Amino acid sequence: MPLIDYGNGNPAIADDAWTHVADGAALPPDRPATISLERWKAERDGLSGRNLPLGVRLESHERIEEILPDLPRLALIALDFPNLNDGRHFTTARLLRERYRFGGQVRATGQVLRDQIDLMRRCGFDAFELAPGKDGASAAAAFEEISVVYQPAADTRPTAAQRRNRPPEQAVAG
Amino acid sequence: MYAYDALDDRLVRERAAQFRGQVARRISGALSEDEFKPLRLRNGLYLQLHAYMLRVAIPYGLLNADQLRALARIARRYDRGYGHFTTRQNIQFNWIRLEDAPDILEDLAAAGMHAIQTSGNCIRNTTTDQFAGVAADEIEDPRPWAEIIRQWSTLHPEFSFLPRKFKVAISGSPNDRAAIAVHDIGLSMARAPDGGTGFRVWVGGGLGRTPMLAEAIRDFLPGEDLLSYLEAILRVYNAEGRRDNLYKSRIKILVSALGIDRFRELVEAEWALIRDSALRLNEAEISRIRAQFAPPAYEVAEARQFAARRMEDTAFARWSTANLFSHKQPGYAAVTVSLKPAGGIPGDITANQMVALADLADEYSCGEIRVTHRQNLVLAHVRQDRLYDLWRALDSLDLATPNLMRVTDIVACPGLDFCGLATARSIPVAQRLSERLAEIDERHDLGELTINISGCINSCAHHHVGHIGILGLEKAGAESYQVTLGGSSAEDASLGKIIGRGFSADEIVAAIETIILTWLEQRRDGERFLDSLRRTGPAPFREALYGQD
Ligand code: SF4
């Protein structure tokens, strides 16, 4: 599955260092791993000895609020999009970044398509596991398509209103 | 009116280019139809029964003359020479080819227009009172606020995949001409004790399968907090709204399931956390936008000539009684251009009429045209001493039917002639009704009486709030029309009630005629239909329609 990593402020096709581990399967001894929210809640105490990065996967109906105190222990939150219509995790990502100040990776998984990833990035996602069969290199161009944003979000892009009302010496033409 | 600056302009051009790429990927097969559908919907492109339909956004129903000319060019070049105005103050073209859609979006962008979010499960075009900025009863012109909402909601990254579509309406006046009670969010301008402007906020209205009137969620919201409050409502809805059942996914269902008090608690708790953020509107930006809605330079107009013409010409007198709205500027009037000639298709307009009307707008009304949610157009700033000339020009274009808010001013959706969701035709019913009822109105002066016809339960023509509502259903393979009485979308908003069993396509015109004739027997001195009905109840109508059965 192609992974686009936007962690450094530039989209790059990356090799995935992470393994998504199914419930009941053993965690790899040498690689960072993600587990489901349910498993995390059941095993979090037992996992305190592990010194490889850990991540948690949330399905679209699951709430990040369930594990807020655990966020400092987690290096990655994977938010799943089961289909093209379920937009709940756009909100989850913004809350993670803007309200809970999560600094690890926020990764979109599932039905992740080129034409949604720029909106996802604005909400705070910084890694995108594209749906199977999708071309990562051409998808990265999606981040360049729209250069004007009207509303504040989890990214740091100045909004149109902020650009318009800047002091004159900073104003950019257009 | 609002003119795009370089940023607005860049965004719509980039959006058109983006869609060109998406269409190319669809045509090459890189995108499946399932993947493409949400993208085309968010650019206004529907697949209908015979072709693609493109719905162009007309933010809060406001157009300048050049934009109307651009729409005429699109109608000629890419469609069959006409367009259809909708109850959401937008325009639809019914015969579009997918390959042409990117060029059309580019042409729109060049005219400062777009089709962004005119469909799909996202925030739709914000609608308002067609007499905004003109009406003497308004607290403040709502259009700057509608433009602020337009910008905030455009390509909103968090709210582009909501459980369902989301509609906001805003009224500047306590006399609601924007039907705010039947919108997901309704905003009514209000004044704070200290004189500042803000809004009374309503939530959870909507029609469709489960019609509901909105409930008040906040008595006063300061203007500067508008966007954070909207964002709080949308965030609660995005997280909590149902996604398992299409018919239960609108915010009205969430509000009624939680109860307005619990819903309010959730919204207020969220709002407390985001109120003090970059969403707070700053005075500079509000003023920048407000300045663009400043009233035009009015002239001193003479009223005497108007009165004299009314005496001389009864046809003109009749039209000016029906189709004028009083303007806050003395000597001016706002003119409603009826798109409802007897026997015509409600809301349809030809390219030739568009061009001619654009010229008339330039000549008589500061180059501005408005679309109403009853599918008519408005020239909002006409000198009274020029009304007679304007009326003659409109009459020669077949645009001077004197029937605003009267029985032939029928609101109808495209129905089974075009729409893939329809269960019955609505256009031919509207045409037959308007021909028949024009005569009765002529004889009896029926006054204000609205008829709305939807071709399926989605209720695009808002039949629940027509004084008489008609809903086209399908029963055992045949069209069956259900009639509701007593709806209203004005400040006395109410939902119509079903009168009894439905009528076939052959019976429906006679049934409506029976209702009207029955009312005439009950009517007390010039009463409106709605007021008589509220007084007598439905019994006389039921008896006339169904006898004792
Ligand atoms: S009410 Fe039904 S038939 Fe009419 S336009 Fe809406 S979806 Fe189509």
Side-chain angles (χ1 to χ4, degrees):
Chain A
M1 230 164 293
L3 178 74
I4 300 178
D5 186 340
Y6 209 109
N8 301 320
N10 267 314
I13 310 297
D15 287 331
D16 195 354
W18 288 77
T19 304
H20 298 310
V21 180
D23 290 352
L27 296 186
D30 54 350
R31 282 171 68 88
T34 72
I35 57 177
S36 70
L37 177 70
E38 283 311 308
R39 182 167 180 184
W40 171 257
K41 288 194 296 189
E43 297 179 17
R44 63 185 137 198
D45 297 337
L47 287 168
S48 57
R50 185 172 163 95
N51 57 9
L52 283 162
L54 271 170
V56 167
R57 302 190 301 270
L58 264 61
E59 291 179 29
S60 65
H61 63 276
E62 292 176 324
R63 295 292 172 88
I64 196 66
E65 282 71 16
E66 290 199 52
I67 53 167
L68 291 182
D70 303 335
L71 288 179
R73 290 180 57 192
L74 299 171
L76 183 151
I77 300 289
L79 302 174
D80 187 57
F81 291 85
N83 59 54
L84 285 174
N85 299 317
D86 193 331
R88 284 178 278 196
H89 280 329
F90 286 93
T91 291
T92 312
R94 283 195 69 182
L95 293 177
L96 266 171
R97 295 297 192 206
E98 295 171 60
R99 185 163 302 163
Y100 310 129
R101 301 283 158 203
F102 181 68
Q105 187 180 96
V106 180
R107 179 184 291 202
T109 65
Q111 274 298 311
V112 180
L113 300 177
R114 174 206 151 116
D115 298 290
Q116 279 81 36
I117 57 180
D118 192 44
L119 297 173
M120 288 174 173
R121 180 181 62 119
R122 294 214 62 216
C123 289
F125 288 96
D126 59 355
F128 310 88
E129 259 175 44
L130 294 182
K134 297 296 172 186
D135 170 19
S138 77
F143 298 113
E144 305 300 322
E145 287 175 341
I146 306 284
S147 67
V148 179
V149 301
Y150 277 131
Q151 55 296 95
D155 54 0
T156 52
R157 292 157 79 175
T159 64
Q162 286 162 346
R163 290 164 75 174
R164 286 167 182 145
N165 297 298
R166 261 180 202 162
E169 70 274 15
Q170 290 178 35
V172 239
Chain B
M1 58 184 276
Y2 188 77
Y4 280 9
D5 73 354
L7 293 173
D8 302 307
D9 177 65
R10 188 191 291 175
L11 185 138
V12 293
R13 288 177 192 275
E14 289 175 346
R15 177 69 165 184
Q18 181 188 51
F19 191 57
R20 188 178 294 283
Q22 291 166 345
V23 169
R25 281 185 284 131
R26 173 69 194 113
I27 290 172
S28 79
L31 278 175
S32 70
E33 179 55 25
D34 281 353
E35 292 165 351
F36 180 60
K37 187 176 170 190
L39 307 175
R40 66 167 163 78
L41 288 180
R42 280 161 185 75
N43 286 291
L45 204 59
Y46 276 82
L47 190 53
Q48 291 200 327
L49 291 174
H50 315 290
Y52 282 98
M53 175 270 276
L54 180 72
R55 184 182 293 151
V56 175
I58 302 178
Y60 35 93
L62 192 57
L63 286 169
N64 66 36
D66 283 337
Q67 290 173 329
L68 188 55
R69 290 183 187 105
L71 294 173
R73 278 195 302 275
I74 289 170
R76 282 187 181 135
R77 185 145 174 221
Y78 305 104
D79 200 281
R80 298 187 178 175
Y82 70 98
H84 172 79
F85 286 104
T86 75
T87 54
R88 303 266 319 139
Q89 301 180 305
N90 291 323
I91 187 167
Q92 296 181 176
F93 296 106
N94 281 318
W95 302 97
I96 297 301
R97 294 172 349 131
L98 178 61
E99 307 82 287
D100 290 334
D103 291 338
I104 303 176
L105 293 193
E106 213 166 83
D107 291 357
L108 287 172
M113 300 178 81
H114 61 77
I116 297 170
Q117 289 166 213
T118 54
S119 64
N121 294 336
C122 47
I123 305 168
R124 304 288 190 86
N125 184 26
T126 297
T127 51
T128 188
D129 176 5
Q130 67 270 24
F131 299 119
V134 167
D137 60 5
E138 94 189 345
I139 289 167
E140 189 183 305
D141 186 346
R143 294 171 302 168
W145 301 100
E147 173 59 25
I148 286 169
I149 296 172
R150 181 191 75 83
Q151 297 191 17
W152 162 78
S153 62
T154 296
L155 309 190
H156 196 297
E158 183 178 349
F159 306 132
S160 285
F161 298 89
L162 296 168
R164 199 80 173 87
K165 58 190 169 185
F166 201 92
K167 300 173 180 179
V168 182
I170 170 169
S171 168
S173 155
N175 299 312
D176 179 10
R177 287 175 294 263
I180 64 169
V182 295
H183 284 76
D184 296 291
I185 292 179
L187 299 165
S188 169
M189 302 247 24
R191 253 199 215 300
D194 71 357
T197 44
F199 308 92
R200 181 147 200 232
V201 186
W202 305 76
V203 70
L207 298 173
R209 188 167 297 239
T210 322
M212 290 187 197
L213 297 176
E215 300 199 64
I217 182 167
R218 187 160 242 288
D219 280 338
F220 187 78
L221 176 72
E224 61 173 13
D225 294 321
L226 174 64
L227 296 184
S228 58
Y229 202 77
L230 293 182
E231 194 141 316
I233 294 176
L234 265 299
R235 183 169 279 175
V236 169
Y237 171 55
N238 192 41
E240 307 282 347
R242 284 182 63 173
R243 292 172 187 268
D244 58 329
N245 180 338
L246 190 66
Y247 299 114
K248 301 203 184 302
S249 53
R250 295 289 289 268
I251 196 173
K252 63 190 174 188
I253 303 289
L254 179 66
V255 172
S256 75
L258 293 174
I260 184 68
D261 294 327
R262 175 71 188 133
F263 183 80
R264 181 184 298 113
E265 265 172 46
L266 293 176
V267 169
E268 296 275 329
E270 178 60 37
W271 186 46
L273 296 170
I274 58 174
R275 181 177 183 182
D276 189 17
S277 72
L279 286 166
R280 176 165 287 152
L281 288 161
N282 74 28
E283 206 37 59
E285 182 65 1
I286 299 175
S287 311
R288 185 188 79 88
I289 292 180
R290 249 194 209 134
Q292 304 202 44
F293 293 92
Y298 294 118
E299 296 156 4
V300 179
E302 235 274 33
R304 250 179 323 178
Q305 201 201 354
F306 172 51
R309 289 294 196 186
R310 279 176 58 96
M311 300 290 282
E312 290 161 23
D313 191 325
T314 50
F316 174 64
R318 195 162 156 225
W319 174 82
S320 56
T321 303
N323 288 28
L324 298 188
F325 181 84
S326 68
H327 198 294
K328 66 182 179 193
Q329 178 71 18
Y332 277 75
V335 169
T336 297
V337 176
S338 172
L339 299 182
K340 318 286 180 66
I345 299 178
D348 270 19
I349 183 170
T350 66
N352 291 346
Q353 287 174 318
M354 288 188 222
V355 171
L357 200 58
D359 293 345
L360 292 177
D362 274 336
E363 197 179 334
Y364 291 96
S365 191
C366 311
E368 182 209 278
I369 302 101
R370 300 164 180 216
V371 186
T372 81
H373 72 270
R374 295 188 55 81
Q375 303 174 289
N376 292 310
L377 300 177
V378 165
L379 298 174
H381 314 282
V382 183
R383 279 174 57 156
Q384 289 180 5
D385 54 0
R386 305 186 69 195
L387 282 167
Y388 188 73
D389 295 339
L390 173 62
W391 169 71
R392 297 217 331 192
L394 289 173
D395 196 37
S396 71
L397 295 165
D398 202 15
L399 291 171
T401 312
N403 62 347
L404 177 64
M405 293 298 279
R406 299 181 74 91
V407 72
T408 51
D409 183 9
I410 295 173
V411 174
C413 76
L416 197 53
D417 290 287
F418 296 99
C419 176
L421 302 170
T423 41
R425 289 170 299 169
S426 38
I427 289 173
V429 175
Q431 291 175 299
R432 284 191 289 138
L433 269 177
S434 76
E435 259 170 7
R436 184 70 197 97
L437 297 178
E439 243 171 75
I440 303 183
D441 192 19
E442 178 97 51
R443 250 184 299 132
H444 296 283
D445 188 2
L446 303 179
E448 182 185 320
L449 203 182
T450 61
I451 297 182
N452 297 44
I453 310 175
S454 301
C456 82
I457 191 65
N458 286 317
S459 318
C460 296
H462 306 167
H463 62 275
H464 300 102
V465 292
H467 297 175
I468 298 176
I470 301 176
L471 165 62
L473 297 167
E474 191 234 283
K475 268 213 177 111
E479 290 160 315
S480 170
Y481 294 89
Q482 189 180 74
V483 176
T484 48
L485 299 183
S488 163
S489 65
E491 60 287 350
D492 61 351
S494 56
L495 297 171
K497 295 207 173 57
I498 297 171
I499 184 79
R501 70 162 172 83
F503 301 93
S504 72
D506 289 339
E507 296 165 341
I508 182 67
V509 172
I512 301 301
E513 193 177 337
T514 302
I515 290 170
I516 289 171
L517 296 177
T518 307
W519 161 53
L520 287 174
E521 290 163 17
Q522 313 282 337
R523 189 185 196 188
R524 288 188 191 155
D525 33 63
E527 220 175 18
R528 293 189 308 165
F529 171 80
L530 189 62
D531 297 323
S532 300
L533 174 72
R534 284 175 176 170
R535 180 169 53 74
T536 65
F541 301 97
R542 201 164 279 151
E543 194 179 319
L545 287 169
Y546 306 109
Q548 303 302 334
D549 68 19

